[in-house]
């Protein structure tokens, strides 16, 4: 299905993934101005079912899942005892005894083991349902007008980070108003066997609106413009939730959870470093892994960096010592043997018009 559209592929987390179709910049701009369609079926999907499903999720995640109502979605993290990331994830509540967790593809098996390992007396089962489902993301300002003719669900009634169940192109679907691009849009969870059918119906429906099929390359630059972090790059098991500047998903007051004491202590003592967004004051983009220097001393490296097609700037993310994280602070990045200047800027770099 992707080869017929001229996709170029790369291996990612055991999957052969489309990197781009017509070109990463063209696809990026289509999402910002019209719409793009992504096949993100590589993501992991875990179901938690049972009387104590909520109790188990409260134990292993740092956000407060008890605040969720039925059909609401929450961004959260699985945290280690040190308050660092096992993974970041989205939590979908069907009922108090039934949740769906969308996790990173490379962490699917690790996350499943982690949750099961920390299940004690809770009456809850955790299942890997990844292979049973496909996941398509329709993103961009034209997403609603493209999807609405294909579904009986009233899309205007689905709020951001909520979902409904219905049909898309005659196929049973979970329709979630979520995404990883910084745009309005929907993620569709459908039976794996129906993926090609729904994909093609969406492509047909979006043609007149300027929608394009999009690959991993555009997804990466879109999420970076919106300052949406990527596990294994911007955070991992060596970085805490506070350090990643995701404190809004830490709810210390909810009660005990794995990593709570470490996060409470770090908040009280103060941070030594924090993730910041930067703009390169040079024509050269700063790529992941490039050394970051302050006063000639290497203090870290770029965690994500790229040319931003919509903003037409070179942007990125890096961890800096806390005393150098103020907006306007300048530092240097070693780009192919040359030190170029960069400046800490407010994030997200891009925020969609409301």
């Amino acid at each position: 299905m992707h080869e017929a559209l001229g996709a170029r592929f790369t291996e990612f987390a055991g999957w052969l993934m489309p990197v781009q179709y017509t070109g990463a910049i063209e696809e990026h701009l289509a999402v910002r101005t019209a719409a793009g369609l992504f096949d993100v079926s590589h993501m992991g999907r875990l179901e938690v079912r049972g009387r104590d499903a909520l109790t188990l999720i409260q134990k292993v995640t740092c956000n407060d899942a008890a605040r969720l109502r039925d059909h609401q979605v929450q961004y959260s993290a699985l945290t280690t005892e040190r308050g660092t990331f096992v993974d970041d994830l989205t939590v979908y509540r069907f009922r108090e005894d039934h949740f769906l967790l969308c996790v990173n593809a490379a962490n699917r098996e690790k996350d499943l083991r982690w949750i099961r390992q920390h299940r004690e007396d809770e009456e809850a089962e955790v299942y890997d349902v990844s292979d049973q489902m496909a996941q398509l993301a329709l993103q961009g300002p034209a997403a609603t007008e493209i999807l609405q003719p294909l579904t009986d669900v009233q899309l205007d009634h689905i709020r951001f980070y909520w979902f409904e169940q219905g049909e898309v192109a005659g196929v049973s679907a979970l329709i979630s108003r979520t995404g990883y691009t910084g745009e309005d849009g929907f993620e569709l969870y459908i039976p794996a066997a129906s993926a090609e059918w729904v994909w093609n119906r969406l492509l047909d429906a979006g043609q007149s609106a300027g929608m394009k099929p999009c690959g991993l390359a555009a997804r990466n630059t879109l999420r970076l413009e919106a300052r949406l972090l990527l596990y294994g790059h911007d955070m991992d098991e060596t970085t805490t939730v506070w350090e990643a500047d995701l404190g809004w998903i830490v709810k210390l007051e909810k009660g005990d959870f794995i990593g709570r004491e470490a996060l409470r202590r770090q908040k009280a003592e103060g941070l030594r470093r924090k993730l910041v967004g930067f703009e390169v004051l040079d024509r050269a983009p700063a790529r992941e892994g490039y050394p970051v220097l302050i006063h000639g001393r290497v203090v870290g490296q770029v965690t994500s960096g790229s040319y931003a097609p919509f903003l037409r700037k070179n942007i990125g993310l890096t961890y800096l010592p806390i005393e150098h994280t103020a907006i306007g602070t300048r530092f240097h990045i070693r780009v192919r043997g040359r030190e170029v200047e960069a400046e800490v800027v407010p994030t997200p770099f891009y925020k969609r018009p409301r």
Side-chain angles (χ1 to χ4, degrees):
M1 124 180 141
H2 299 298
E3 287 176 334
L5 295 167
R8 288 171 47 194
F9 293 88
T10 189
E11 192 279 332
F12 180 78
W15 290 72
L16 201 58
M17 296 290 299
V19 178
Q20 62 179 49
Y21 297 85
T22 57
I25 291 179
E26 187 178 343
E27 293 163 23
H28 180 116
L29 296 177
V31 174
R32 290 278 180 254
T33 59
L37 182 61
F38 302 80
D39 183 352
V40 292
S41 300
H42 65 293
M43 299 295 289
R45 290 164 290 274
L46 310 177
E47 271 195 336
V48 184
R49 289 177 177 265
R51 188 178 71 179
D52 297 328
L54 176 59
T55 303
L56 179 58
I57 289 170
Q58 286 287 73
K59 178 195 288 187
V60 297
T61 64
C62 60
N63 208 334
D64 188 358
R67 296 184 179 185
L68 290 174
R69 292 160 58 187
D70 290 355
H71 289 203
Q72 193 173 7
V73 190
Q74 182 183 78
Y75 180 62
S76 190
L78 297 172
T79 41
T80 70
E81 291 85 351
R82 304 183 310 281
T84 63
F85 291 86
V86 176
D87 202 3
D88 67 325
L89 74 164
T90 44
V91 178
Y92 291 72
R93 172 176 164 140
F94 291 86
R95 300 179 306 275
E96 188 172 349
D97 63 353
H98 181 198
F99 291 80
L100 175 70
L101 311 179
C102 182
V103 304
N104 283 290
N107 292 338
R108 166 181 160 185
E109 294 178 359
K110 178 182 77 168
D111 293 353
L112 181 64
R113 285 195 307 271
W114 180 265
I115 298 170
R116 285 177 172 173
Q117 174 187 333
H118 289 92
R119 182 185 57 191
E120 296 173 306
D121 299 329
E122 294 89 2
E123 292 186 23
E125 296 295 331
V126 190
Y127 307 96
D128 186 347
V129 296
S130 306
D131 294 339
Q132 301 169 27
M133 297 182 188
Q135 189 174 338
L136 306 179
L138 173 58
Q139 301 282 294
T144 299
E145 71 175 80
I146 292 168
L147 183 58
Q148 189 61 79
L150 297 177
T151 181
D152 54 353
V153 174
Q154 194 59 42
L155 298 176
D156 286 343
H157 294 171
I158 305 178
R159 288 175 284 168
F160 187 55
Y161 264 63
W162 290 74
F163 70 93
E164 290 295 340
Q165 293 170 283
E167 289 191 349
V168 174
V171 173
S172 176
L174 184 159
I175 305 170
S176 173
R177 199 159 206 150
T178 49
Y180 193 51
T181 63
E183 292 298 333
D184 190 18
F186 302 91
E187 291 179 294
L188 311 175
Y189 295 78
I190 56 178
S194 302
E196 187 169 0
W197 166 262
V198 176
W199 171 271
N200 287 330
R201 299 292 77 73
L202 288 167
L203 280 183
D204 292 343
Q207 194 169 13
S208 61
M211 185 183 80
K212 292 187 177 298
C214 299
L216 278 181
R219 190 167 182 255
N220 188 54
T221 52
L222 287 159
R223 70 92 190 165
L224 179 56
E225 283 188 341
R227 197 204 176 272
L228 300 172
L229 307 191
L230 177 60
Y231 186 89
H233 299 255
D234 306 309
M235 79 287 215
D236 56 27
E237 293 193 19
T238 70
T239 53
T240 72
V241 188
W242 299 126
E243 291 169 343
D245 203 21
L246 289 174
W248 59 274
I249 68 169
V250 178
K251 301 298 189 294
L252 296 175
E253 70 280 5
K254 77 169 184 174
D256 197 25
F257 61 90
I258 299 168
R260 179 178 184 267
E261 178 55 28
L263 289 167
R264 185 205 61 76
R265 188 168 57 249
Q266 188 179 48
K267 183 179 183 182
E269 294 174 355
L271 297 179
R272 295 183 178 180
R273 62 171 182 167
K274 190 175 74 171
L275 189 69
V276 299
F278 65 82
E279 180 182 332
V280 181
L281 307 178
D282 189 274
R283 294 178 62 184
R287 305 291 185 188
E288 177 194 349
Y290 286 6
V292 171
L293 302 92
I294 293 176
H295 306 315
R297 182 173 65 89
V298 175
V299 295
Q301 64 181 23
V302 175
T303 61
S304 289
S306 174
Y307 174 70
F310 187 76
L311 301 175
R312 301 173 72 177
K313 297 176 179 178
N314 291 314
I315 61 172
L317 300 169
T318 189
Y319 285 88
L320 289 180
I322 196 68
E323 64 272 19
H324 295 284
T325 56
I327 303 300
T329 300
R330 293 196 174 187
F331 59 95
H332 288 86
I333 301 170
R334 189 172 294 142
V335 178
R336 297 181 179 178
R338 187 168 62 92
E339 291 188 8
V340 302
E341 197 167 29
E343 182 176 308
V344 178
V345 296
T347 55
F349 306 98
Y350 167 83
K351 188 176 288 188
R352 69 179 175 90
R354 297 288 177 176

